[in-house]
Amino acid sequence: MKNNKKVLIFIVLIILFLSIVFFIKNYYKNMIIGNNISSKSTQEIVDNILNMKSYDSNITVKIISNKNENTYVINQANIGDKLFKQEILEPENIKGTVIIYDNGKLNIKNTKLNLNKLYEDYKYITNNQLLLKSFIDDYKNKEIANFDENEENIVLNVKTDVNKYIVYKTLIIDKSTGKPKELQVKDGSQNTLVYILYNRIEVNGIKDDKILS
């Protein structure tokens, strides 16, 4: 009986040992595969943002200077280099101001303020630092550009040469949605000049008539 007990215990220990080895091998295998998937997903999210054709969004913008800080709520839509619309919802005193860039023509209007100005052959749409496209162009064309990630976000950083004030830009993308969350524009001393919070954003699939309506 004692010998049988010893044999049984030995068999149980062997099975337990093999089970632990099997578990460890599978755990590390799955962990490696999981990391590869995560890395691939991150790259796909970044590529999707960098290659977007259009977007429609609602944003909160903070413009910060040495003297004051101004906050705006804006509906903003953009299709590449050809079409851009921005409608100010807040503050109240300039609510309803609409800026439309359409194939070289820039129109600024506000019926309440009796404002209607049209600029022909306007070539500075890419210099609009509030546009997501401005960040994307800088990121794709500058040598000092990189991205990092944590559990929740992907963080894209780029150093620009726009001017002595606009030097660093950071775009934060939500991993769970693959959509932009925040955009920050900083000076050479890393002071934030522009902070944009994307309250809502729809990437790609935006039609001209939706923007112009």
Side-chain angles (χ1 to χ4, degrees):
M1 284 291 290
K2 286 185 178 181
N3 287 336
N4 287 339
K5 260 188 176 181
K6 285 182 180 180
V7 170
L8 182 61
I9 292 171
F10 180 75
I11 292 171
V12 169
L13 289 174
I14 290 294
I15 293 172
L16 183 61
F17 173 77
L18 291 174
S19 298
I20 292 171
V21 170
F22 178 78
F23 172 79
I24 290 172
K25 283 180 68 177
N26 276 276
Y27 174 79
Y28 280 105
K29 182 180 178 183
N30 290 333
M31 188 175 71
I32 291 169
I33 292 172
N35 285 337
N36 288 338
I37 291 172
S38 176
S39 177
K40 185 178 178 183
S41 297
T42 296
Q43 188 63 58
E44 285 178 350
I45 291 170
V46 171
D47 289 344
N48 186 53
I49 296 300
L50 294 180
N51 295 304
M52 72 166 59
K53 304 299 182 184
S54 62
Y55 71 91
D56 181 31
S57 65
N58 175 273
I59 60 176
T60 298
V61 182
K62 290 185 180 180
I63 310 293
I64 303 162
S65 67
N66 292 331
K67 296 182 179 179
N68 51 37
E69 177 181 311
N70 296 306
T71 302
Y72 307 87
V73 178
I74 299 170
N75 280 338
Q76 187 185 81
N78 179 218
I79 299 179
D81 290 321
K82 69 174 185 174
L83 190 58
F84 159 69
K85 181 180 179 181
Q86 187 163 276
E87 180 180 359
I88 299 176
L89 306 179
E90 295 178 18
E92 188 66 32
N93 62 327
I94 55 173
K95 181 180 179 179
T97 300
V98 178
I99 302 169
I100 298 176
Y101 173 85
D102 186 6
N103 289 309
K105 295 181 180 180
L106 184 71
N107 190 13
I108 304 174
K109 56 185 179 181
N110 187 318
T111 53
K112 292 181 180 179
L113 300 176
N114 196 27
L115 174 65
N116 195 345
K117 290 188 177 183
L118 180 65
Y119 299 88
E120 302 279 355
D121 299 321
Y122 189 84
K123 301 176 182 178
Y124 304 104
I125 187 65
T126 54
N127 290 335
N128 188 338
Q129 299 304 316
L130 301 187
L131 278 181
L132 188 52
K133 182 186 181 329
S134 178
F135 173 89
I136 292 172
D137 287 345
D138 283 336
Y139 190 91
K140 293 169 78 171
N141 296 323
K142 304 303 177 189
E143 291 184 6
I144 305 177
N146 58 75
F147 72 85
D148 199 358
E149 63 178 310
N150 53 42
E151 289 185 2
E152 296 181 355
N153 302 314
I154 303 168
V155 182
L156 281 67
N157 295 294
V158 61
K159 185 177 181 182
T160 77
D161 53 3
V162 176
N163 56 48
K164 65 179 181 179
Y165 301 107
I166 299 173
V167 180
Y168 300 102
K169 294 184 179 181
T170 298
L171 178 67
I172 300 175
I173 303 171
D174 189 326
K175 267 188 176 181
S176 63
T177 64
K179 296 180 179 181
K181 288 171 62 176
E182 302 173 21
L183 176 61
Q184 302 166 21
V185 179
K186 299 179 180 181
D187 63 16
S189 300
Q190 296 279 3
N191 298 309
T192 301
L193 305 178
V194 179
Y195 171 81
I196 298 175
L197 174 67
Y198 292 92
N199 304 314
R200 173 190 60 79
I201 183 165
E202 178 185 347
V203 175
N204 293 325
I206 312 302
K207 301 293 180 66
D208 293 18
D209 54 357
K210 182 176 180 180
I211 290 182
L212 295 173
S213 62

